[in-house]
Amino acid sequence: MKHLTPKACLTLALMMAASFAAIAQGNEPSAAEPNMLYAPLIYDGYTPMDGSLTMKSDKNGDLYALDANDAWLTEAMDNSSHTRYARQRAMIDNPQLVAYNANRLPEAPPEGVIPGDPRHGMLTIAPDLVPVEDVTPPDAPVLPLHNWLHVFNASLQFTQAYISGNWYQGGENNLALLGSINWNCNLNQDVHPNWLFNNALSYKLGIATTHGDSIRKYLINEDNFLFTSQLGYKAVKNWYYSAMLQFTAQFLNNYKTNTRTMTAAFLSPAELNIGLGMTYNYKKADDRMFTLAIAPISYNLKYCRNITDIDPVRFGIDAGHHSKSTFGSNFEAKVMWRFSPSVMITSRLYMFTNYEYVQGDWENTLDFSIGKYLTTQFYTHLRFDRSRARDDDWNYWQFKEILSLGIVYRFATVN
């Protein structure tokens, strides 16, 4: 027979004394549970014991009562209350006997199978593998994997625009129609996780009536073609070794108000930039996207096809020359954040330097969708270019703002 230690005997005596005190106070239970009453004291919190059960009243003030014989419930609650009262009283009167605290107990070993190794005298806990049955129907179709993801947007909007007087493509404040096309073709990274290949093409064309021009009835206030491409191979986590290409161009002729002075024409201006470096690509579901491309080695080509009617100096090209090539560095950051199904903001920051001048563009678009086919957009474009002559009012800065309301059509395909 195993003998009790003096400490265990003292604990048992205190517990019995607490039980007798509870009985003397009228809290005698019908039957206490020995396995709970005489278990080791473990502190897990303090609960006031008033020996009563508070019941809610209905609107008439009467207490709710069970429509059944609830003697068993009363007996069980008395047993539980007496046990908790006795254990708690023992811990309060003799805290030195409380060997454990529930908040500091070690974690229980994981459940599983415990195989033994008699040769080495070791026991190990192995997870209990539950066989998973194949619940796929035998006639379930096999879904094909798609290598390319396509997204296409087209919109036609009514616009109000403000343009600074030194904007490098010309234009004036106006009310106009703005049409835009956006196409994205990206490699599916779920199929090719180590590769990054994103391609984006956009074209914006704005036509505005001009009341202040006596020579022509309309002008081109927005004519911007942009193509970007990124090809990368994963380096670590979200970083890729990458090559980047960007091409921008003007397609239609544009003039200064009340003059025949041409400010832009087909491929006048046009600009090509190719860079090598690193790209950080992060995407969370379909509502957040961030891309950062850094190219320490970059080639930039500025081109002006028509130097007879247009001064190429406006575009940072030496007088009498069609093009100018420089080497330097560039970086581009893109952010897309969809706050809700109807509100989305996109931002693009691009900068290039040949270590003699700095050129940068910061474009922001806030898109409010009204139903499936209606949308309102607020677009801003801030540009800094030290490769061209300084303006008296805006210095080297240029600014464009467009507020538009119109219709939009979107669809996505895979192949």
Side-chain angles (χ1 to χ4, degrees), residues 33-46:
E33 300 178 8
N35 61 330
M36 287 296 298
L37 185 60
Y38 303 114
L41 298 178
I42 301 176
Y43 176 77
D44 59 358
Y46 177 78

Side-chain angles (χ1 to χ4, degrees), residues 49-316:
M49 302 294 179
D50 56 3
S52 63
L53 175 64
T54 302
M55 304 179 67
K56 293 184 178 180
S57 302
D58 58 16
K59 60 182 179 179
N60 298 323
D62 298 329
L63 295 178
Y64 293 123
L66 294 176
D67 186 16
N69 182 8
D70 60 348
W72 63 269
L73 178 60
T74 302
E75 180 181 358
M77 293 181 63
D78 288 343
N79 290 344
S80 176
S81 176
H82 171 69
T83 301
R84 286 185 290 122
Y85 177 84
R87 290 176 57 82
Q88 186 169 280
R89 180 66 180 272
M91 284 187 282
I92 294 175
D93 292 343
N94 299 275
Q96 72 277 6
L97 298 179
V98 181
Y100 303 103
N101 188 317
N103 296 325
R104 298 179 181 177
L105 289 176
E107 294 185 2
E111 296 182 359
V113 180
I114 307 179
D117 185 358
R119 293 177 300 174
H120 300 88
M122 296 182 62
L123 297 177
T124 58
I125 300 177
D128 188 8
L129 300 179
V130 179
V132 179
E133 298 181 0
D134 186 5
V135 296
T136 304
D139 57 346
V142 178
L143 298 178
L145 298 177
H146 300 284
N147 295 313
W148 298 95
L149 307 176
H150 301 266
V151 178
F152 178 83
N153 296 334
S155 65
L156 180 63
Q157 299 172 317
F158 174 79
T159 69
Q160 170 270 325
Y162 171 79
I163 303 175
S164 64
N166 67 327
W167 186 254
Y168 77 115
Q169 290 177 325
E172 65 177 16
N173 303 343
N174 57 82
L175 299 175
L177 289 177
L178 174 66
S180 65
I181 297 174
N182 296 277
W183 171 69
N184 291 273
C185 178
N186 301 327
L187 188 67
N188 189 350
Q189 289 191 290
D190 293 333
V191 181
H192 306 279
N194 293 326
W195 287 95
L196 175 71
F197 194 13
N198 296 334
N199 302 277
L201 182 150
S202 66
Y203 181 60
K204 293 182 179 181
L205 177 62
I207 302 177
T209 59
T210 171
H211 302 286
D213 195 334
S214 58
I215 300 178
R216 54 194 64 85
K217 297 182 179 180
Y218 67 91
L219 57 82
I220 305 298
N221 69 334
E222 181 76 14
D223 185 4
N224 187 18
F225 174 85
L226 173 64
F227 174 75
T228 61
S229 181
Q230 289 181 331
L231 174 62
Y233 184 78
K234 176 170 281 190
V236 57
K237 292 186 178 180
N238 294 328
W239 286 95
Y240 297 80
Y241 303 109
S242 61
M244 294 152 280
L245 180 146
Q246 174 179 287
F247 177 72
T248 61
Q250 170 95 12
F251 282 169
L252 303 178
N253 297 342
N254 204 2
Y255 301 87
K256 275 191 174 183
T257 305
N258 284 322
T259 69
R260 299 190 182 276
T261 302
M262 187 176 294
T263 58
F266 179 68
L267 296 181
S268 302
E271 186 171 347
L272 173 68
N273 191 283
I274 301 174
L276 298 175
M278 299 285 291
T279 296
Y280 177 83
N281 186 65
Y282 170 80
K283 183 177 182 181
K284 182 178 180 182
D286 292 327
D287 59 351
R288 296 182 189 180
M289 184 273 293
F290 174 71
T291 302
L292 174 64
I294 304 173
I297 303 174
S298 179
Y299 168 74
N300 183 267
L301 171 65
K302 295 178 183 290
Y303 180 74
C304 180
R305 177 176 174 271
N306 187 345
I307 63 174
T308 303
D309 302 317
I310 303 175
D311 184 6
V313 177
R314 289 176 49 86
F315 313 124

